[in-house]
Amino acid sequence: MKSFEVQGLSVKIGEKEILTDLQASFPEGKLCAILGANGAGKSTLLKALLGWLKPTKGKVQLLGRPLSSYPRRERAQVLAYLDQTQTLPEDLTVEQLVGLGRPQTGVWLWGILPNPLSGTTPEDEEAVTWALHRTDTFRFKGRLVGELSGGEKQRVLLARALAAKPKVLLLDEPTNHMDIAYQADLIRLLKREVEKGLTVILVVHDLNLAALADHITLMHSGQVIQQGTPQDTLTPALLQETYGVQVDVVTHQGRQVVILRG
């Protein structure tokens, strides 16, 4: 089964059409990377998959059902989103922040209520504890978010997303501004969850990081130009079409390595 099927999707923001008659599909239970130059429409596609942007035409199916048929609560139980650009409430503990990932506590807004975890169920508490352990953040669950390093915050955001026990996780440039060690750590964590059955779809800029994915989508000017394995997509011809630059691609230890030509 496909996690998402996108057919003839067009999306406008204001008067500008960002996605035009886009066709795409994303396999279930895989690590999927979306690549493209700035302005290609990558983030807009993610927002359309989340149901945050209404298409001007076309349709999106989530796990075999129209995305529009999912009530908001059910959609929150199936889909999770990791956004590293948002401002985090620094006076919450790690455990409280992760608890906000639970669909039934998703109505809580930063700072409006004194205890974001009040009224939670044993199932919620179990899911939060599980997510903290999965991301190796349980050891500082009592620390304030404001005390965390950038890499620790990224792990906590992932824990919050996993606490919802979603079937599909979407991430928009999660490795941006992270050093190479944290990038590798995040990809390792994501691949481990994929092995457990989670579908991950992420927007990335680093081509060699994307080569670690199972499935790659190349975008240009609001359309998908190619989808497939790294071997099918990370080719000199397709990357020149995507980015307008010349590259060489070599295989090292079974993976594609992209080298920019001088």
Side-chain angles (χ1 to χ4, degrees):
M1 181 185 290
K2 303 294 184 181
S3 59
F4 280 104
E5 288 273 6
V6 181
Q7 300 176 356
L9 185 70
S10 295
V11 174
K12 281 187 175 182
I13 297 179
E15 295 301 314
K16 183 177 181 181
E17 189 167 73
I18 308 299
L19 304 179
T20 305
D21 197 28
L22 185 145
Q23 311 283 340
S25 63
F26 297 88
E28 189 176 6
K30 300 293 183 181
L31 177 61
C32 306
I34 301 176
L35 294 171
N38 290 336
K42 304 181 298 297
S43 295
T44 300
L45 175 58
L46 273 196
K47 291 174 182 176
L49 296 181
L50 288 161
W52 293 359
L53 291 176
K54 185 176 180 180
T56 54
K57 69 174 183 178
K59 60 183 181 179
V60 177
Q61 285 198 312
L62 170 61
L63 299 176
R65 283 174 50 188
L67 181 63
S68 58
S69 73
Y70 284 80
R72 187 173 180 178
R73 184 77 166 281
E74 185 182 0
R75 188 185 303 178
Q77 293 171 333
V78 175
L79 280 177
Y81 176 63
L82 193 159
D83 179 10
Q84 69 160 0
T85 64
Q86 67 185 35
T87 301
L88 297 178
E90 297 193 346
D91 58 344
L92 289 184
T93 67
V94 167
E95 185 176 26
Q96 288 173 327
L97 182 63
V98 173
L100 291 172
R102 295 293 293 164
Q104 48 268 68
T105 58
V107 296
W108 301 94
L109 299 177
W110 311 132
I112 289 180
L113 294 169
N115 182 3
L117 291 180
S118 64
T120 57
T121 67
E123 183 182 2
D124 294 329
E125 295 173 3
E126 181 181 348
V128 169
T129 299
W130 171 85
L132 290 167
H133 280 299
R134 292 297 296 176
T135 54
D136 194 27
T137 53
F138 184 82
R139 53 199 167 92
F140 46 80
K141 67 175 183 175
R143 286 173 57 186
L144 295 178
V145 173
E147 300 173 353
L148 304 178
S149 68
E152 289 170 340
K153 286 180 181 177
Q154 191 69 17
R155 277 175 172 255
V156 170
L157 285 172
L158 178 58
R160 187 183 67 177
L162 293 179
K165 296 291 186 78
K167 294 182 179 179
V168 184
L169 172 62
L170 285 76
L171 308 92
D172 195 356
E173 300 184 25
T175 59
N176 201 21
H177 306 305
M178 296 174 68
D179 66 35
I180 190 169
Y182 280 122
Q183 290 181 18
D185 187 46
L186 179 63
I187 295 300
R188 177 183 61 81
L189 288 172
L190 292 174
K191 288 180 75 71
R192 187 173 68 182
E193 296 310 314
V194 166
E195 291 172 358
K196 299 292 184 180
L198 181 67
T199 300
V200 174
I201 302 173
L202 72 160
V203 170
V204 290
H205 280 296
D206 189 316
L207 297 178
N208 291 312
L209 203 61
L212 299 174
D214 305 306
H215 181 272
I216 292 176
T217 298
L218 297 178
M219 292 187 65
H220 179 71
S221 298
Q223 294 184 318
V224 169
I225 61 174
Q226 184 73 23
Q227 290 191 294
T229 65
Q231 291 75 20
D232 294 332
T233 54
L234 298 182
T235 68
L238 284 170
L239 292 176
Q240 183 168 11
E241 183 180 355
T242 302
Y243 293 99
V245 295
Q246 292 187 327
V247 299
D248 293 313
V249 180
V250 299
T251 301
H252 176 67
Q253 295 183 346
R255 298 195 181 278
Q256 306 296 92
V257 177
V258 180
I259 304 168
L260 183 66
R261 290 185 187 175

